[in-house]
Amino acid sequence: MNQPFTYQTKQAHTYHSNHPENGRTHTNKRGSEGSGNLQFYSPRGIAVDSSGYVYIADTSNSRVQKTTSNGAYVIQWDGSPDTGNSKFRYPKGVAVDSSGNVYVTDTGNDRIQKFTSSGVYVMQWGSSGARNSQFNGPNGIAVDGSGNVYIVDTNNNRIQKFAPVSSLPFLDGFEFGSFSAWSGTSVSTGETATVSTSAAHHGLYSSRFTSNGGGGIKNAIVNRTFTASTDIYARGYFKVTQNGIADDNDRFYFTVLKSTVGNNLAYAGWRRTAGVLHWCLVIRAGTGYVTTYSASTPVTDRWYYMEVHWREGSPGVGELWVDGGQRAHR
């Protein structure tokens, strides 16, 4: 393959030469050591999309830089070691899927982050540990033609494979603005449950729930009845624009799994305890319930991608995942 530009990440520089060597051409020096645009500090990972744009994991600058195929600066994102969404702590790997989405191994935070080609945050998954979907110093990353993601989980001495989001269960017509996939709605006095386009996520219709703030237990629910199963996954995108949680034990539950006899099997959302707001997962255990909390604190006015998994047992087993990372489990 004789490409006009071949990038290398070596000693903070990229190179180009017009002299073919072993059937390839190399680039002249592009970049220098530093933290400015087109400067690098120990870059490790590199990927090229179908349009020829180049993405570089600028590791010790804790950022990703994007350039054109001839080395012209386009954009960068992050640049200071941190743990928030779109922030990195020494990223080492980068890959691009067939749709142009960019995946970054956020090595120091033991997670994977996904972005659009322009650097807009999409989602993340992973946490520190050795269980499935956990990482210890993830490094290399690759995406195949079907969208499966492969991670070199370096310090756990293994490779992990993840299916693309589009292949996850619980896909239904409600995402496209119809209640046809749902069995109905249930609201208490003063509350509403409607389909809205004004707060759509990724261009899709959304359900909007409102409350009159009158206190007590309130509900605004769209529900779905489905064939009995001992292993259930439910997922959705959620955003709270106004937080009414003010006191300990105030709570929002976004997803509820309920049996036909009326018992809640699992439910998940936000709950305040000891003065701090947490993600909360409640699982039925015999005639009672067991509650677990996340260490992280959710915030208002941003979208979250939430998944709840329940499996029948004595007691039942449950997991709560947010933006691809496990927040609570039982």
Side-chain angles (χ1 to χ4, degrees):
M1 181 174 65
N2 190 9
Q3 297 178 339
F5 298 98
T6 300
Y7 283 74
Q8 299 175 325
T9 54
K10 180 181 179 182
Q11 297 180 350
H13 308 304
T14 54
Y15 298 86
H16 174 61
S17 165
N18 288 324
H19 305 289
E21 180 180 344
N22 296 325
R24 300 183 179 183
T25 56
H26 296 273
T27 61
N28 278 327
K29 175 180 174 182
R30 300 280 184 180
S32 59
E33 184 172 332
S35 58
N37 297 344
L38 289 180
Q39 291 186 315
F40 305 96
Y41 191 40
S42 297
R44 300 291 180 88
I46 192 167
V48 182
D49 68 19
S50 60
S51 299
Y53 288 103
V54 182
Y55 303 83
I56 302 162
D58 188 4
T59 303
S60 293
N61 280 325
S62 289
R63 66 184 179 182
V64 172
Q65 293 200 64
K66 177 180 178 180
T67 73
T68 64
S69 59
N70 62 4
Y73 174 81
V74 177
I75 194 175
Q76 64 173 283
W77 53 98
D78 196 29
S80 57
D82 208 340
T83 59
N85 298 340
S86 301
K87 300 291 186 180
F88 303 112
R89 193 175 293 277
Y90 312 114
K92 292 184 178 179
V94 62
V96 184
D97 67 19
S98 59
S99 299
N101 297 299
V102 181
Y103 301 78
V104 181
T105 52
D106 188 5
T107 306
N109 286 322
D110 289 323
R111 66 184 179 183
I112 311 302
Q113 294 200 64
K114 178 180 177 181
F115 301 86
T116 68
S117 59
S118 58
V120 176
Y121 172 82
V122 176
M123 66 177 293
Q124 64 175 279
W125 70 92
S127 59
S128 300
R131 300 176 62 184
N132 293 342
S133 302
Q134 292 185 320
F135 304 103
N136 188 351
N139 207 315
I141 186 169
V143 185
D144 67 21
S146 299
N148 297 298
V149 182
Y150 302 81
I151 311 296
V152 179
D153 190 6
T154 304
N155 295 328
N156 281 326
N157 296 306
R158 64 186 182 181
I159 307 299
Q160 293 198 63
K161 176 183 176 181
F162 298 88
V165 170
S166 60
S167 69
L168 293 175
F170 210 70
L171 298 174
D172 54 65
F174 180 65
E175 288 190 337
F176 301 96
S178 170
F179 274 116
S180 60
W182 296 84
S183 305
T185 63
S186 173
V187 296
S188 53
T189 302
E191 280 61 54
T192 64
T194 58
V195 172
S196 170
T197 59
S198 61
H201 181 71
H202 288 180
L204 304 177
Y205 285 75
S206 64
S207 58
R208 171 172 288 183
F209 309 104
T210 62
S211 173
N212 64 3
I217 299 175
K218 302 290 185 178
N219 67 80
I221 299 169
V222 279
N223 59 76
R224 181 182 183 187
T225 302
F226 49 88
T227 304
S229 175
T230 59
D231 201 17
I232 300 171
Y233 293 83
R235 69 181 183 91
Y237 294 94
F238 300 92
K239 180 171 75 170
V240 176
T241 56
Q242 184 173 350
N243 184 3
I245 296 179
D247 302 310
D248 280 359
N249 291 322
D250 284 356
R251 67 205 79 173
F252 291 137
Y253 290 125
F254 303 122
T255 299
V256 180
L257 302 178
K258 181 178 292 189
S259 72
T260 55
V261 296
N263 293 324
N264 290 336
L265 304 175
Y267 43 105
W270 297 359
R271 183 171 179 173
R272 175 171 159 155
T273 179
V276 179
L277 185 63
H278 297 279
W279 290 97
C280 171
L281 173 67
V282 183
I283 297 294
R284 188 168 181 82
T287 58
Y289 294 90
V290 176
T291 303
T292 56
Y293 300 95
S294 69
S296 58
T297 300
V299 298
T300 58
D301 208 32
R302 62 147 288 184
W303 285 102
Y304 287 103
Y305 173 65
M306 192 176 90
E307 298 170 279
V308 177
H309 173 216
W310 172 85
R311 186 172 69 248
E312 185 177 31
S314 299
V317 176
E319 298 176 294
L320 170 61
W321 295 75
V322 180
D323 290 339
Q326 190 181 74
R327 295 293 179 263
H329 70 278
R330 170 66 170 82

